[in-house]
Amino acid sequence: PRFETCWPALMKDSHGVVIVFNPELPSHLKELETWYSCFVQQQPLLDGQCLLVAHHKPGSAGDTDDLSLAYPLNKLKLIHSNLEEDPEDVRMEFMKYFRSIITFINESREREEMSIIS
C-alpha cells in the first residue's frame, strides 16, 4: 500500500496479474484480497488472467496442501513455489500461464478486428 499512487500506472494496459505471497504470513493472506480487488476486479480482468503463487522460503515447514483460500480467491489458479525442491514445476506452471495470456490477447484482438469489419 505504500506505493498505491503508482498502481494505476502499473495496471494500465495489463493483460495479466501474478500475485506472489508468503502463505505463512497471516498479513499476506489478508492483503491478498486487496491486491485481487485492485488489480483484477477493478480493471476488470478475468479470473483466468490472474495467477497466485504461494512462495515457500527455503527451509520453511509449510504444508502445501493445507492452504485453503476463501471466496473469491479460491476460484483463481494457485501454484506453490519452492525453488529449492522443484523449480522445474514452477517454471512449467508459469509457461502455461503465459501461454493462456497470449491466447487470450490473440482472441481479444481477433474479436476486435471482427467487430471493426462488421
Side-chain angles (χ1 to χ4, degrees):
R2 278 178 298 179
F3 304 107
E4 257 179 85
T5 52
C6 303
W7 289 3
L10 289 171
M11 292 187 275
K12 185 174 172 9
D13 298 330
S14 62
H15 296 289
V17 175
V18 177
I19 301 173
V20 181
F21 65 99
N22 181 343
E24 291 159 46
L25 290 180
S27 62
H28 277 208
L29 295 174
K30 272 190 228 136
E31 284 171 27
L32 265 180
E33 288 184 34
T34 304
W35 292 108
Y36 173 73
S37 171
C38 292
F39 282 86
V40 181
Q41 288 180 314
Q42 287 177 32
Q43 288 221 66
L45 294 178
L46 300 172
D47 287 339
Q49 291 169 270
C50 182
L51 176 67
L52 298 180
V53 181
H55 183 65
H56 301 268
K57 291 184 173 179
S60 67
D63 182 3
T64 57
D65 296 327
D66 200 29
L67 181 63
S68 58
L69 299 172
Y71 180 86
L73 298 169
N74 61 3
K75 302 183 299 172
L76 305 175
K77 172 77 175 163
L78 168 69
I79 64 171
H80 291 270
S81 83
N82 184 327
L83 300 181
E84 268 190 334
E85 286 178 23
D86 215 341
E88 189 58 25
D89 255 16
V90 176
R91 194 179 74 80
M92 293 298 289
E93 289 293 347
F94 264 114
M95 291 304 290
K96 272 196 269 185
Y97 169 70
F98 286 129
R99 274 198 292 270
S100 74
I101 294 296
I102 290 165
T103 301
F104 174 80
I105 293 168
N106 289 337
E107 287 172 355
S108 296
R109 195 170 291 147
E110 282 171 22
R111 277 195 302 272
E112 214 173 275
E113 288 168 2
M114 289 309 288
S115 69
I116 292 167
I117 291 167
S118 57

